[in-house]
Amino acid sequence: MFIRAGSTYQGRERRRGLFAIAAVIGVIYLVLTGLSTLWTDYQWFDSIGFLSVWRTRILTSVALGAGGAAFVFLFVWVNLVLADRISPRLALLSGGQDEEIVERFQDWVEPRLRLVRLGISAALALLIGVGVAAFRDDVLLYMHSTLFQVADPQFGNDVSFYMFRLPLWANLTSWLFNLVALTSVLVGTLHYLNGGIRLQRGNRIDVRPGVKAHISGLIALLALTRAVSYRIDVFQLLYTKQRSFAGAGYTDVNARLPALNLLVLVSIVAAALLIWNIWRKGWTLAIVSVGAWAFVSIAAGVIYPAVVQRFVVAPNELDRERPYIARNIEATREAFGLASVEVRPFAADFNLDATDISNNRPTIDNLRLWDPKVLPFSYQNRQEIRTYYRVDRVDSDRYVVDGELQQVMVAARELDEPNLPATDWLTRTLLYTHGFGAVVSPANAVEPDGQPALWVRDVPPRDLKPELALDQSRIYFGESYRTDKPVVVKTGSSPQEVDFPLEQGNSQNEYDGADGVDVGGFVNRLAFSLRYRDLNMLISSQLRGDSKLLMERNIRDRVSAIAPFLAADSDPYPVILDGEVVWVVDMYSYSSHYPYSQPVTTEETRRMAIKSGLQREGWNYVRNSVKATVDAFDGTVNLYVTDPDDPIVKTWRRVFPGIFKDFAEMPPDLVGHLRYPQDMFRVQTEMYIDYHMTNTDEFFPRVDAWAIPKDPSTPRRADFLWGDRRSADLTGITYLDRIVPYYVLLRLPGEEDLSYVLMQPYTPEEKPNMSSILVADSTPGTYGRLIDYRLPRGVIVEGTGQVGNRIEQDDEIATQFTLWRGQGSNVILGDLLVLPVETSILYVQPVYLESEQGGLPFAEFRRAVVVYGDRVEWAPSLDEAMTLVFGGGTAGPTTPSEPSTGPSLDTEVAQLLSQAAAAFDQAQTALQAGDLAGYQRYIQEAERLVRDALARAGAPPEASLVSIG
């Protein structure tokens, strides 16, 4: 029996030892992982030339954390020592009912007194003091602040005081108040356990004089800290949300502001009374001061403002609030970049004729017939080439091709990481490292088979236009790559990266770009294996002495890591520049502290993608102050300042000198591809719903409030928006049915040259007719201008929802839609383009047909719908539809890229049969490779092409094909 007990005891001791060893190993692993992350981050920032960002942020965080920890440690330590020295301890216990608790505590703590003080002080230093490091950005902005040269209308302070200084004071004051409050509770508890505070019979509390002085001093410090906090609250009234507008209103200025100033005085007086109470008997003064403090807080801070609001403001609110609403309107328009909107009256008449259309051929010839929601599926079916490529994001841009500025659709062919041929480490990390090339098609051209006319296609890229030639096609850095999945290059005894497919096998490549962190040495291999929890990184024999690891290959994450103080746009876009692919990422400076500016809510961010850097509530200032570029091949990042007058980016340039470049340093050819950013414009257009009104008498009752109109296009998008909603079982999505701004290349009314613009129509609130079209210009020389084409209030012009209903209800169109849908196909309606032409508005909507049978969705362009006035016409080409609406003389010049002219009937049939033969060849290739799904897809495509050829040749409808599938 004793042997069993001993064995059990020994077993417990052994388990405790094992647990202790496991704990030590776990701590060592966590420490090494943290150090490896720090070390690899250092090397990565150094390798890309942005080490100053890493160094400044790390050193500032360490300095603040160490300083805060030291301050907390000393503050708590001094108070604990003081509490021990002034407490009566055991000798003075009087035999009260709490004597046993106090005796037990003192018996335990007495031998360990220094260790207990050290442990408590160190614990609070780590829990509270290190948290000061979170104020890093506030401290950096405070130390390098730049003036706005704009004074707030209430106190006359420069706006920089609220943007750069007040946030730090507010955070530090709140932090200090919490520290003093926690220390006061800790000291009070210690005094009780040391016998300085005793419970006497009859529940009477006896406090020793020294203890009274100590506690009174701490509470007085709390009162002084609260006085500073009240003073900060005075200034924070200017950017708090009040009712229907932000900033200080009548009640704030005439009731809360005096109340806060009174509370500052009361807090200081309370602190003085608490100090004076040290030399007086009892706690009367302390109780009176605290009671007065609480009474004034409730009476002056809550009740009095409520009375003023209810009995002074509410009965005559507009008159009382008029000057403060004016402040809010002015500040909000300035903070969101709406102050410079140019309002142009727009007649929206119905005077267009064939001559006007001919005179506006540059606009008509560039109308976008291909929707970015539809093109990805066409590109995927025709241009993904291999399973390890992906083309799922299509962007709009413009290029000078054949001497003419033309709108085009562009997509990069990236590596499809989730669907690589194998899942082993070697394949995913060393062999498949990059995508290849791009796909480019004109926005308005349609092939006879209803597919886009590709100007850049295939792997290696074949370019039909020399302006779009690609010399360096490899895509090592893209917008779909995962940040936590790096790749290693320069591996193996010979080049082994899969470059592009050949007739037999694949071409091999070895990366020779500038990016990459050395992983040839043992230390770095160990560090990266710990960082990514990947043992293969350490033990693989495929790594050489010159091997490099490519980190942060997702371009949004890459620029966000370099400039985390800026927000990244949700949609980077590729540009073919000097034979290479360069990504452009719009970056935003933003703040929540612009006085009197209206903060955004979920309502204003509902049309933004979830992954947008601006997808958060509460901010009330924004500027697209930086354009970041990322080389798709070697990851080189440049940060170009496009708004040098923005005080926030000015301040960050002071913090990090040398990391930003002036806009003049941007390659001139790239300037012509810059776009007005979508995320910012979406928020601006939401704010403009109310803030187009500058008259307070209209603004307050919202007599001319607008709304974002209904989107009549088929819901399908690449990005999930905050306004979209998933079903409860996560199997379906209810899309937000509001129009999202779109890019078009057109000649604006009254202007001669083409402009590349982002466009947003409006309707009056709760009304379907159109009220305005807001345009953001991306054209070099006029970039950034905002134009509001304001429709007359007394004229009814149909909005997009009404036009969409008319299209669906047109007899001919509705009948054809029913036939198509009955044949197992989906009718896809593209973006309804709202186009101001001369003094009229023209609506154009492309229609696509998508088969539901097998394979990926494969949408074909079938019709262009044109709506003007009471005319709704559609045709296989845009020019034909224009002719139906406006009569003869609207057709443009004959060019190969225009679908309106098209080839002759015999040529069309020959092309369709040629494409069918190619599809049959691809089917046979897929069958030989064992790709049954691909075989079926190509067979179906070939059969469809043959049927189209028969139909165009005049074959009767009953003509059929013998399936060979």
Side-chain angles (χ1 to χ4, degrees), residues 670-738:
L670 181 58
V671 174
H673 294 281
L674 298 181
R675 308 188 316 192
Y676 196 91
Q678 295 189 72
D679 286 354
M680 188 170 82
F681 190 63
R682 292 179 188 183
V683 174
Q684 286 177 314
T685 53
E686 293 282 356
M687 301 302 294
Y688 202 62
I689 286 174
D690 285 328
Y691 286 91
H692 69 278
M693 297 180 285
T694 56
N695 186 310
T696 55
D697 291 346
E698 289 187 351
F699 180 90
F700 182 75
R702 303 185 76 238
V703 297
D704 190 30
W706 293 347
I708 303 298
K710 182 180 179 181
D711 186 359
S713 69
T714 303
R716 174 186 285 176
R717 57 176 64 108
D719 292 324
F720 191 72
L721 307 184
W722 272 102
D724 298 332
R725 292 289 179 266
R726 292 193 181 276
S727 60
D729 57 2
L730 303 180
T731 59
I733 299 176
T734 301
Y735 291 100
L736 178 70
D737 64 343
R738 302 291 117 177

Side-chain angles (χ1 to χ4, degrees), residues 230-482:
Y230 284 133
R231 184 57 181 167
I232 291 172
D233 290 343
V234 167
F235 298 110
Q236 287 182 332
L237 287 175
L238 270 60
Y239 51 72
T240 54
K241 181 73 168 65
Q242 301 292 337
R243 301 168 301 283
S244 60
F245 65 95
Y250 181 91
T251 301
D252 299 308
V253 172
N254 294 280
R256 290 190 177 89
L257 180 56
L260 288 171
N261 287 329
L262 178 61
L263 285 169
V264 171
L265 181 61
V266 169
S267 299
I268 295 174
V269 171
L273 291 176
L274 285 164
I275 298 298
W276 187 19
N277 187 62
I278 294 174
W279 293 278
R280 295 178 60 84
K281 293 183 179 181
W283 290 86
T284 303
L285 280 179
I287 295 173
V288 169
S289 62
V290 173
W293 186 5
F295 174 77
V296 174
S297 296
I298 296 173
V302 179
I303 297 176
Y304 177 58
V307 171
V308 171
Q309 179 66 31
R310 178 62 186 87
F311 295 101
V312 178
V313 177
N316 199 13
E317 191 167 3
L318 179 56
D319 285 344
R320 299 293 187 186
E321 302 286 16
R322 184 177 283 111
Y324 307 107
I325 295 173
R327 294 177 179 181
N328 171 255
I329 294 173
E330 181 181 3
T332 302
R333 288 172 60 89
E334 176 62 32
F336 285 90
L338 299 173
S340 59
V341 173
E342 177 188 355
V343 179
R344 296 183 183 179
F346 191 73
D349 56 33
F350 300 98
N351 297 328
L352 277 183
D353 56 24
T355 302
D356 294 320
I357 296 299
S358 295
N359 292 337
N360 284 272
R361 286 309 309 182
T363 295
I364 305 303
D365 290 343
N366 278 287
L367 284 183
R368 177 168 57 78
L369 297 180
W370 286 106
D371 196 305
K373 302 190 298 288
V374 173
L375 264 185
F377 300 101
S378 295
Y379 283 1
Q380 287 165 9
N381 276 280
R382 303 177 66 191
Q383 284 297 302
E384 285 192 343
I385 310 297
R386 291 291 187 268
T387 57
Y388 48 83
Y389 291 138
R390 67 184 299 173
V391 185
D392 59 358
R393 297 288 307 223
V394 180
D395 290 287
S396 172
D397 201 348
R398 69 282 194 202
Y399 288 80
V400 176
V401 180
D402 297 332
E404 299 290 337
L405 186 65
Q406 300 188 45
Q407 185 172 6
V408 302
M409 313 305 290
V410 185
R413 187 183 290 104
E414 301 182 40
L415 185 69
D416 190 1
E417 292 178 319
N419 295 306
L420 293 179
T423 59
D424 61 281
W425 181 84
L426 180 70
T427 298
R428 304 183 71 86
T429 309
L430 308 185
L431 302 186
Y432 290 91
T433 59
H434 58 279
F436 208 97
V439 185
V440 182
S441 62
N444 68 325
V446 182
E447 295 284 6
D449 62 350
Q451 293 302 305
L454 301 180
W455 282 351
V456 178
R457 59 181 300 167
D458 299 341
V459 179
R462 290 192 296 134
D463 51 88
L464 302 182
K465 303 295 180 180
E467 300 90 341
L468 300 171
L470 276 172
D471 301 321
Q472 177 51 266
S473 303
R474 295 170 180 87
I475 310 294
Y476 282 90
F477 298 86
E479 61 178 319
S480 67
Y481 296 156
R482 291 177 54 182

Side-chain angles (χ1 to χ4, degrees), residues 510-755:
E510 185 164 280
Y511 178 78
D512 59 356
D515 190 72
V517 179
D518 172 50
V519 287
F522 174 79
V523 173
N524 277 7
R525 292 176 67 170
L526 175 61
F528 280 110
S529 66
L530 287 170
R531 178 189 180 110
Y532 294 110
R533 295 172 175 82
D534 188 348
L535 181 61
N536 291 306
M537 199 79 70
L538 179 63
I539 64 176
S540 174
S541 61
Q542 295 294 314
L543 271 62
R544 308 185 325 217
D546 61 344
S547 294
K548 288 185 175 184
L549 183 138
L550 304 185
M551 301 172 59
E552 300 291 354
R553 299 200 305 135
N554 182 285
I555 53 177
R556 290 186 72 257
D557 294 339
R558 191 175 182 86
V559 297
S560 295
I562 292 170
F565 41 84
L566 300 175
D569 190 89
S570 61
D571 185 24
Y573 53 97
V575 175
I576 298 177
L577 182 69
D578 297 330
E580 298 184 356
V581 176
V582 175
W583 294 95
V584 179
V585 187
D586 287 288
M587 305 292 286
Y588 305 103
S589 56
Y590 64 99
S591 175
S592 304
H593 304 112
Y594 197 96
Y596 273 105
S597 178
Q598 197 76 11
V600 300
T601 65
T602 53
E603 185 68 16
E604 284 77 45
T605 60
R606 58 183 175 162
R607 292 184 300 147
M608 292 174 61
I610 290 179
K611 63 182 180 180
S612 171
L614 291 177
Q615 189 49 257
R616 62 197 76 189
E617 293 186 75
W619 54 271
N620 64 359
Y621 173 93
V622 65
R623 290 290 186 272
N624 175 217
S625 51
V626 174
K627 302 279 189 183
T629 64
V630 183
D631 190 291
F633 173 64
D634 65 13
T636 299
V637 176
N638 292 296
L639 303 176
Y640 297 101
V641 176
T642 54
D643 186 359
D645 296 325
D646 174 28
I648 294 182
V649 81
K650 281 185 180 180
T651 301
W652 286 120
R653 294 190 81 169
R654 289 184 177 184
V655 176
F656 303 109
I659 74 166
F660 294 100
K661 295 183 177 181
D662 293 332
F663 182 65
E665 299 180 63
M666 179 179 286
D669 290 342
L670 181 58
V671 174
H673 294 281
L674 298 181
R675 308 188 316 192
Y676 196 91
Q678 295 189 72
D679 286 354
M680 188 170 82
F681 190 63
R682 292 179 188 183
V683 174
Q684 286 177 314
T685 53
E686 293 282 356
M687 301 302 294
Y688 202 62
I689 286 174
D690 285 328
Y691 286 91
H692 69 278
M693 297 180 285
T694 56
N695 186 310
T696 55
D697 291 346
E698 289 187 351
F699 180 90
F700 182 75
R702 303 185 76 238
V703 297
D704 190 30
W706 293 347
I708 303 298
K710 182 180 179 181
D711 186 359
S713 69
T714 303
R716 174 186 285 176
R717 57 176 64 108
D719 292 324
F720 191 72
L721 307 184
W722 272 102
D724 298 332
R725 292 289 179 266
R726 292 193 181 276
S727 60
D729 57 2
L730 303 180
T731 59
I733 299 176
T734 301
Y735 291 100
L736 178 70
D737 64 343
R738 302 291 117 177
I739 280 185
V740 174
Y742 46 83
Y743 292 100
V744 290
L745 182 63
L746 80 168
R747 191 164 66 190
L748 293 172
E751 300 186 4
E752 294 297 326
D753 298 326
L754 286 172
S755 297

